[in-house]
Amino acid sequence: MGSGEKTIFVFKKKKVYSDRNLKDKLRYEVCESVVTNWSELPSEQNSEKYMLIFLFILLGIVLMMLIYWAETYIL
């Protein structure tokens, strides 16, 4: 996957990102880099794992926000 530039692009707001095919391709690359045999899994398992991967990413973002908030306003 390289230096992570493609992965970072998934989360940036760009006009090109409105292209559905590009969005799906980049999300697939993220899933493929997290799950080793992603392309060999049946589509049912792919969709389940896809949701889990992005839920964990969302959870990570929320946790980072909570830590930032705690450091800024509590500590």
Side-chain angles (χ1 to χ4, degrees), residues 4-53:
E5 293 174 18
K6 292 179 184 177
T7 307
I8 292 171
F9 181 74
V10 172
F11 302 104
K12 288 184 179 179
K13 297 212 177 219
K14 299 249 184 195
K15 282 191 171 190
V16 231
Y17 190 57
S18 63
D19 178 9
R20 185 69 180 168
N21 293 328
L22 177 61
K23 185 192 267 189
D24 290 341
K25 177 182 177 261
L26 294 173
R27 286 182 176 170
Y28 183 86
E29 287 178 4
V30 170
C31 292
E32 198 172 42
S33 67
V34 174
V35 180
T36 53
N37 59 346
W38 179 261
S39 58
E40 298 169 8
L41 295 174
S43 61
E44 306 88 41
Q45 286 183 353
N46 278 352
S47 61
E48 292 170 5
K49 289 187 185 238
Y50 171 80
M51 291 302 291
L52 282 175
I53 289 167

Side-chain angles (χ1 to χ4, degrees), residues 47-62:
S47 61
E48 292 170 5
K49 289 187 185 238
Y50 171 80
M51 291 302 291
L52 282 175
I53 289 167
F54 283 97
L55 284 174
F56 280 119
I57 290 172
L58 182 62
L59 179 62
I61 292 169
V62 169

